[in-house]
Amino acid sequence: MIGAERQPTSDCRQSLQQSPASGGRWDRPKLLEMIGQLRDGDVVVVWKLDRLSRSLKDMLHIMERIELAGAGFRSLTEAIDTTTAAGRMMMQMVGSFAEFERAMIRERTSAGLAQARAEGRIGGRRPKLGDKQRREIAESVTSGRKSGAEMARLYGVSEPTVSRIVAAHRQQFSQQQREQA
């Protein structure tokens, strides 16, 4: 949740804007739009610091842009208020921990995927068709007994899937012919 709050002096509040983009990305149009609209005395309010950014470098860049606009920053969950020196220091410390946490998650995910690959497991969904079914599709289409569309409907797959199966079968067949020659 990212928003801008007008100070009571203007007796006006801009409603909080939801920003569905990830805090780990910089190309977030709502955030950029909000930063562009900031004026002196505004306060940017976020529910949690990692909603703003998960990279300390990006967070510092965002905070610099907020400061250049003459605005403050407030995180509701971490109770950080950058209108004070202590708040600015606390924001940098919490930002460092958020970046560390994201790096740890990335490392654990990579290690888990590497371990799974080493154990012979691969990601993604299971193939819808087995080798026997693929062979039957390829032979039916190449022999002319059935069309690609008929085989797609029969096996509940798309026509491009049937085309890829037939192309792979033809390539394998021509490779076998070359090896025998």
Side-chain angles (χ1 to χ4, degrees), residues 23-39:
R25 298 177 47 183
W26 176 241
D27 58 335
R28 296 177 289 163
K30 289 284 187 186
L31 173 65
L32 296 175
E33 179 184 338
M34 184 206 56
I35 289 174
Q37 294 174 359
L38 289 175
R39 296 186 302 221

Side-chain angles (χ1 to χ4, degrees), residues 11-112:
D11 203 32
C12 171
R13 287 173 70 94
Q14 180 176 344
S15 64
L16 294 177
Q17 301 172 353
Q18 291 288 339
S19 181
S22 164
R25 298 177 47 183
W26 176 241
D27 58 335
R28 296 177 289 163
K30 289 284 187 186
L31 173 65
L32 296 175
E33 179 184 338
M34 184 206 56
I35 289 174
Q37 294 174 359
L38 289 175
R39 296 186 302 221
D40 192 35
D42 286 350
V43 177
V44 175
V45 178
V46 296
W47 170 249
K48 195 168 176 157
L49 200 56
D50 68 353
R51 298 291 87 201
L52 183 65
S53 176
R54 293 194 185 120
S55 154
L56 183 60
K57 178 183 170 196
D58 285 343
M59 184 176 305
L60 293 174
H61 178 73
I62 292 168
M63 296 306 294
E64 181 181 339
R65 290 185 63 183
I66 291 170
E67 189 176 325
L68 285 174
F73 173 80
R74 200 171 286 149
S75 171
L76 300 176
T77 304
E78 292 89 3
I80 295 173
D81 184 354
T82 64
T83 58
T84 67
R88 285 189 294 275
M89 179 192 70
M90 187 66 174
M91 188 278 309
Q92 290 184 4
M93 288 172 45
V94 172
S96 295
F97 284 116
E99 184 176 358
F100 173 73
E101 181 180 9
R102 185 172 171 111
M104 292 301 295
I105 290 169
R106 191 178 311 121
E107 285 178 16
R108 285 192 300 265
T109 301
S110 295

Side-chain angles (χ1 to χ4, degrees), residues 63-178:
M63 296 306 294
E64 181 181 339
R65 290 185 63 183
I66 291 170
E67 189 176 325
L68 285 174
F73 173 80
R74 200 171 286 149
S75 171
L76 300 176
T77 304
E78 292 89 3
I80 295 173
D81 184 354
T82 64
T83 58
T84 67
R88 285 189 294 275
M89 179 192 70
M90 187 66 174
M91 188 278 309
Q92 290 184 4
M93 288 172 45
V94 172
S96 295
F97 284 116
E99 184 176 358
F100 173 73
E101 181 180 9
R102 185 172 171 111
M104 292 301 295
I105 290 169
R106 191 178 311 121
E107 285 178 16
R108 285 192 300 265
T109 301
S110 295
L113 289 172
Q115 180 66 31
R117 277 191 294 275
E119 293 172 0
R121 295 189 313 253
I122 57 170
R125 59 188 262 199
R126 301 202 187 289
K128 191 168 188 176
L129 303 170
D131 289 337
K132 183 179 175 186
Q133 293 169 316
R134 289 173 170 275
R135 194 170 33 259
E136 187 176 327
I137 288 172
E139 289 171 0
S140 295
V141 173
T142 54
S143 70
R145 286 190 307 244
K146 299 241 186 218
S147 71
E150 289 173 313
M151 294 307 287
R153 278 193 302 278
L154 182 65
Y155 284 97
V157 295
S158 68
E159 289 185 48
T161 298
V162 171
S163 295
R164 283 191 298 273
I165 291 169
V166 171
H169 177 76
R170 286 184 176 143
Q171 185 178 14
Q172 185 180 19
F173 181 74
S174 66
Q175 187 176 16
Q176 288 173 351
Q177 292 295 322
R178 284 190 297 257

